[in-house]
Amino acid sequence: MKKWSMKPEIYSGFASLERLQQFEKENLCFVCDPYLAESDSLKRILGYVKRTNSVEIFSDIIPDPPIETVVEGIERMTKIQPTVVIAVGGGSAIDTAKAMLFFYKRTTGNKVKRFVAIPTTSGTGSEVTSASVITDMQNKIKYPIFHEAIIPHEAILDASLVMSSPPSVTAFSGLDVLTHAIESLASVNRTNYTNALAEKATELVFQYLPTCVNQGMELDARIQMHEASTLAGLAFDAAGLGVCHAIAHQVGANFKVPHGLANSMLLPYVIEANSKNKETRKNYARISRKLGICPPSLPDHLAVSNLSQAVQQLAIECKAPIKLNSFGVQEEAALSAEDVIANNALNDTTFKTNPIQFTAEEIKEIYRKIIK
């Protein structure tokens, strides 16, 4: 038995921030990073909040949110006792807010009336998922948390908030969207519902990501990518991910490689490895044909090869490094970490829904292909 549901209410368009006017006489806790806390974007967002509310801002957010930041956030929430939590930012801010809420509710028993997510990047899809990824900095391990209780009650999608996103952030975030979609298509828990969302997200990424990277103020492209991110988030939240994310989490924890970039380096080789599974090979071939990457008559194995090449070519077009050494990770350091990366990837929650349960050695073979 498989389950399909779509929990978050999604509001999109330039009037979507008016949703914040629903709150009156509430204790609002905004969670964002320090840069956003000082930005005009947050001032604009706060302009929609009625003065009858009390507002607190927790902005001690850093990339790859560590356990210590989550603990600090819980302590802050315990003091504030918010009735509404509003996470504004990229995956780090929204994931931190999710983890804060998850443990705050369990340690205090307090309830929050409403949890709202407002993404300022088009990438993680965290605004609609039950996932949060936090990092154990000491042991260099990323821990994904999956629980329905951390799905936001609503997501507000205002593409104007991503217009100023730098090309590199736009590229890495968008390539993360692509990985979410393609891993969803291969997941053992995929359904027709998740396939529909993932296929549309994949199509939008190939069509609009290069424009967003190279012409960041192109409004329509930004809107399309913002919605692609949410579509892919809904897909993978229901279907699950796979070995690409399992390895990427470890690469990010060990070498500070941005998550979307680590995924995009690995994805072409994960496609090749997963295509050894006959059903997965058919799924990859189908999306390759649907995207027009290959002729309809091309055999499955060649259609998959075309898809793998197209994914890597998209990364190159978006000026994303395709190897660790291009990002500044030395070969010796990368090789010395392969055992830890492979073993931790095997234990990563996202690996469970991969179509093939690779051995540690097979995971190392995939990982080695991105070293140089």
Side-chain angles (χ1 to χ4, degrees), residues 31 58 61-62 65 69-70 91-101 132:
V31 180
F58 178 73
I61 306 297
I62 61 174
T69 299
V70 175
S92 295
I94 299 175
D95 278 13
T96 302
K98 286 178 169 181
M100 286 165 54
L101 268 173
S132 172

Side-chain angles (χ1 to χ4, degrees), residues 22-294:
Q22 69 182 293
F23 302 119
E24 294 190 54
K25 298 179 182 179
E26 303 286 1
N27 293 335
L28 307 183
C29 175
F30 280 81
V31 180
C32 63
D33 63 41
Y35 172 78
L36 189 66
E38 302 296 325
S39 71
D40 290 337
S41 291
L42 188 63
K43 290 176 185 174
R44 178 178 160 230
I45 290 167
L46 291 173
Y48 289 92
V49 175
K50 292 180 179 177
R51 293 184 179 182
T52 59
N53 299 290
S54 67
V55 176
E56 294 282 344
I57 298 173
F58 178 73
S59 60
D60 296 338
I61 306 297
I62 61 174
D64 301 319
I67 295 168
E68 291 79 6
T69 299
V70 175
V71 171
E72 185 183 343
I74 295 166
E75 291 172 353
R76 201 54 194 282
M77 286 181 70
T78 304
K79 281 186 180 180
I80 299 168
Q81 295 193 13
T83 54
V84 177
V85 173
I86 302 169
V88 186
S92 295
I94 299 175
D95 278 13
T96 302
K98 286 178 169 181
M100 286 165 54
L101 268 173
F102 183 76
F103 293 108
Y104 169 72
K105 289 177 181 177
R106 278 153 184 74
T107 56
T108 67
N110 293 342
K111 293 184 178 180
V112 172
K113 293 180 185 176
R114 205 77 175 154
F115 176 30
V116 180
I118 307 175
T120 60
T121 61
S122 304
T124 66
S126 189
E127 69 275 5
V128 293
T129 72
S130 61
S132 172
V133 181
I134 56 176
T135 304
D136 180 344
M137 294 292 194
Q138 186 174 354
N139 294 308
K140 297 182 178 179
I141 301 174
K142 287 193 176 187
Y143 291 105
I145 300 169
F146 288 92
H147 201 285
E148 286 192 355
I150 61 175
I151 301 175
H153 293 103
E154 60 186 87
I156 296 176
L157 308 181
D158 184 338
S160 70
L161 295 173
V162 303
M163 298 290 280
S164 60
S165 184
S168 63
V169 174
T170 299
F172 302 163
S173 300
L175 293 166
D176 195 21
V177 175
L178 183 65
T179 310
H180 291 155
I182 289 180
E183 287 222 283
S184 298
L185 291 169
S187 169
V188 295
N189 286 339
R190 68 191 179 279
T191 64
N192 286 334
Y193 308 104
T194 61
N195 282 352
L197 294 165
E199 286 177 9
K200 185 61 180 178
T202 303
E203 177 187 330
L204 291 173
V205 173
F206 272 103
Q207 186 172 354
Y208 292 103
L209 181 58
T211 302
C212 290
V213 172
N214 298 309
Q215 303 171 47
M217 299 307 290
E218 178 58 47
L219 179 58
D220 183 59
R222 288 289 193 179
I223 291 171
Q224 300 298 332
M225 273 304 303
H226 214 39
E227 294 189 350
S229 177
T230 299
L231 290 169
L234 290 167
F236 88 74
D237 195 55
L241 292 165
V243 72
C244 192
H245 269 75
I247 302 173
H249 285 152
Q250 318 318 319
V251 172
N254 278 270
F255 301 115
K256 300 293 183 187
V257 179
H259 176 63
L261 177 58
N263 270 325
S264 71
M265 289 180 181
L266 289 159
L267 186 57
Y269 306 110
V270 167
I271 289 172
E272 291 172 2
N274 274 340
S275 67
K276 293 171 185 173
N277 176 283
K278 184 178 179 181
E279 193 63 33
T280 304
R281 184 164 62 251
K282 286 183 179 178
N283 290 335
Y284 286 151
R286 187 183 72 250
I287 190 63
S288 183
R289 295 185 186 104
K290 188 167 186 177
L291 293 169
I293 292 169
C294 67

